[in-house]
Coordinates of all heavy atoms in Angstrom, one line a residue:
S207 N 28.1 -5.6 -0.3 CA 28.2 -6.6 -1.3 C 28.0 -7.9 -0.6 O 28.9 -8.3 0.1 CB 29.4 -6.4 -2.1 OG 29.4 -7.4 -3.1
L208 N 26.9 -8.6 -1.0 CA 26.7 -10.0 -0.4 C 26.9 -10.9 -1.6 O 26.2 -10.9 -2.6 CB 25.4 -10.1 0.2 CG 24.9 -11.6 0.6 CD1 25.9 -12.0 1.7 CD2 23.5 -11.6 0.9
I209 N 27.9 -11.7 -1.5 CA 28.3 -12.7 -2.6 C 27.3 -13.9 -2.5 O 27.3 -14.6 -1.5 CB 29.8 -13.2 -2.6 CG1 30.7 -11.9 -2.6 CG2 30.1 -14.2 -3.6 CD1 32.2 -12.2 -2.5
L210 N 26.6 -14.1 -3.5 CA 25.6 -15.1 -3.6 C 26.1 -16.4 -4.4 O 25.8 -17.5 -4.0 CB 24.3 -14.5 -4.3 CG 23.6 -13.3 -3.8 CD1 22.5 -12.8 -4.7 CD2 23.2 -13.5 -2.4
R211 N 26.9 -16.1 -5.4 CA 27.5 -17.2 -6.1 C 28.9 -16.8 -6.6 O 29.1 -15.6 -6.9 CB 26.6 -17.5 -7.3 CG 27.0 -18.7 -8.1 CD 26.0 -19.1 -9.2 NE 25.8 -18.0 -10.1 CZ 24.6 -17.6 -10.6 NH1 23.5 -18.2 -10.1 NH2 24.4 -16.6 -11.5
G212 N 29.8 -17.8 -6.7 CA 31.1 -17.4 -7.2 C 32.0 -16.8 -6.1 O 31.9 -17.2 -5.0
G213 N 32.8 -15.8 -6.6 CA 33.6 -15.1 -5.6 C 34.7 -14.3 -6.2 O 34.8 -14.4 -7.5
Y214 N 35.5 -13.6 -5.5 CA 36.4 -12.6 -6.2 C 37.6 -12.4 -5.1 O 37.4 -12.5 -3.9 CB 35.9 -11.4 -6.7 CG 35.1 -10.6 -5.8 CD1 35.7 -9.7 -4.9 CD2 33.7 -10.5 -5.9 CE1 35.0 -8.8 -4.1 CE2 32.9 -9.7 -5.1 CZ 33.6 -8.9 -4.2 OH 32.9 -8.0 -3.4
G215 N 38.8 -12.2 -5.7 CA 39.9 -11.8 -4.8 C 39.9 -10.3 -5.0 O 40.0 -9.6 -6.1
E216 N 39.8 -9.6 -3.8 CA 39.8 -8.1 -3.8 C 41.2 -7.6 -3.3 O 41.7 -8.0 -2.3 CB 38.8 -7.7 -2.7 CG 38.7 -6.2 -2.6 CD 37.7 -5.8 -1.5 OE1 37.8 -6.2 -0.4 OE2 36.8 -5.0 -1.9
Q217 N 41.8 -6.8 -4.1 CA 43.2 -6.3 -3.8 C 43.0 -5.0 -3.1 O 42.2 -4.1 -3.6 CB 43.9 -6.1 -5.1 CG 45.3 -5.6 -4.9 CD 46.1 -5.5 -6.3 OE1 45.6 -5.8 -7.3 NE2 47.2 -5.1 -6.1
T218 N 43.7 -4.7 -2.0 CA 43.9 -3.4 -1.4 C 45.4 -3.0 -1.4 O 46.2 -3.8 -2.0 CB 43.4 -3.4 0.0 OG1 44.2 -4.3 0.8 CG2 42.0 -3.9 0.1
S219 N 45.8 -1.9 -0.8 CA 47.2 -1.6 -0.8 C 48.1 -2.5 0.1 O 49.2 -2.6 0.1 CB 47.4 -0.2 -0.3 OG 46.9 0.0 1.0
Q220 N 47.3 -3.3 1.0 CA 48.0 -4.3 1.9 C 48.1 -5.7 1.3 O 49.1 -6.4 1.4 CB 47.3 -4.4 3.3 CG 47.5 -3.2 4.1 CD 46.7 -2.0 3.8 OE1 45.5 -2.2 3.4 NE2 47.2 -0.8 3.8
D221 N 47.1 -6.3 0.7 CA 47.0 -7.6 0.3 C 45.8 -7.9 -0.7 O 45.1 -7.0 -1.1 CB 46.9 -8.5 1.5 CG 45.7 -8.3 2.3 OD1 44.7 -7.7 1.9 OD2 45.6 -8.9 3.4
I222 N 45.8 -9.2 -1.1 CA 44.6 -9.6 -1.8 C 43.9 -10.7 -0.9 O 44.6 -11.6 -0.5 CB 44.9 -10.2 -3.2 CG1 45.7 -9.2 -4.0 CG2 43.9 -10.9 -3.9 CD1 46.3 -9.8 -5.3
R223 N 42.6 -10.5 -0.8 CA 41.8 -11.5 0.0 C 40.7 -12.2 -0.8 O 40.1 -11.4 -1.6 CB 41.2 -10.8 1.2 CG 42.2 -10.4 2.3 CD 41.7 -10.1 3.6 NE 42.7 -9.8 4.6 CZ 42.5 -9.0 5.5 NH1 41.4 -8.5 5.8 NH2 43.6 -8.7 6.3
W224 N 40.5 -13.4 -0.6 CA 39.5 -14.1 -1.4 C 38.1 -14.0 -0.6 O 38.0 -14.2 0.7 CB 39.9 -15.6 -1.6 CG 38.8 -16.2 -2.4 CD1 37.8 -17.2 -1.9 CD2 38.6 -16.1 -3.7 NE1 37.1 -17.6 -2.9 CE2 37.5 -16.9 -4.1 CE3 39.1 -15.3 -4.8 CZ2 36.9 -17.0 -5.3 CZ3 38.5 -15.4 -6.1 CH2 37.5 -16.3 -6.3
Y225 N 37.1 -13.7 -1.2 CA 35.7 -13.8 -0.7 C 34.8 -14.6 -1.5 O 34.8 -14.5 -2.8 CB 35.2 -12.4 -0.6 CG 35.9 -11.4 0.2 CD1 36.8 -10.5 -0.3 CD2 35.8 -11.4 1.6 CE1 37.6 -9.6 0.5 CE2 36.5 -10.6 2.4 CZ 37.4 -9.7 1.8 OH 38.1 -8.8 2.6
G226 N 34.1 -15.6 -0.9 CA 33.2 -16.5 -1.6 C 31.8 -16.3 -1.1 O 31.4 -15.3 -0.5
P227 N 30.9 -17.3 -1.6 CA 29.6 -17.2 -1.3 C 29.3 -17.1 0.2 O 30.0 -17.7 1.1 CB 29.0 -18.6 -1.8 CG 30.0 -19.0 -2.8 CD 31.3 -18.6 -2.4
G228 N 28.4 -16.1 0.6 CA 28.0 -15.9 2.0 C 28.8 -14.7 2.5 O 28.5 -14.1 3.6
S229 N 29.9 -14.3 1.8 CA 30.6 -13.2 2.4 C 29.9 -11.9 2.3 O 29.2 -11.6 1.2 CB 32.0 -13.0 1.7 OG 32.8 -14.1 1.8
L230 N 29.8 -11.1 3.3 CA 29.2 -9.7 3.2 C 30.4 -8.7 3.5 O 31.0 -8.7 4.5 CB 28.2 -9.7 4.4 CG 27.5 -8.3 4.5 CD1 26.8 -8.0 3.4 CD2 26.6 -8.3 5.8
L231 N 30.5 -7.8 2.5 CA 31.5 -6.8 2.5 C 30.7 -5.4 2.8 O 29.9 -5.1 1.9 CB 32.3 -6.8 1.3 CG 32.9 -8.1 0.9 CD1 33.5 -8.0 -0.5 CD2 34.0 -8.4 1.9
L232 N 31.1 -4.6 3.7 CA 30.6 -3.4 4.0 C 31.8 -2.3 3.8 O 32.8 -2.5 4.3 CB 30.1 -3.2 5.4 CG 29.0 -4.1 5.8 CD1 28.7 -4.0 7.2 CD2 27.7 -3.8 4.9
R233 N 31.7 -1.4 2.8 CA 32.7 -0.6 2.4 C 32.3 0.9 2.4 O 31.2 1.3 1.9 CB 33.2 -0.9 1.1 CG 33.7 -2.4 0.8 CD 35.0 -2.5 1.5 NE 35.5 -3.8 1.3 CZ 35.8 -4.7 2.1 NH1 35.6 -4.5 3.4 NH2 36.4 -5.9 1.8
R234 N 33.2 1.7 2.9 CA 33.0 3.1 2.9 C 33.3 3.7 1.4 O 34.1 3.0 0.7 CB 33.9 3.9 3.9 CG 33.5 3.6 5.3 CD 34.6 4.1 6.3 NE 35.4 5.1 5.9 CZ 35.9 6.1 6.7 NH1 35.6 6.1 7.9 NH2 36.5 7.1 6.2

Side-chain angles (χ1 to χ4, degrees):
S207 181
L208 174 62
I209 301 175
L210 303 173
R211 182 173 63 224
Y214 55 79
E216 181 181 57
Q217 179 180 1
T218 66
S219 59
Q220 283 81 41
D221 61 9
I222 298 176
R223 290 195 179 157
W224 180 258
Y225 298 99
S229 296
L230 176 62
L231 306 167
L232 301 172
R233 302 289 189 241
R234 295 169 25 147

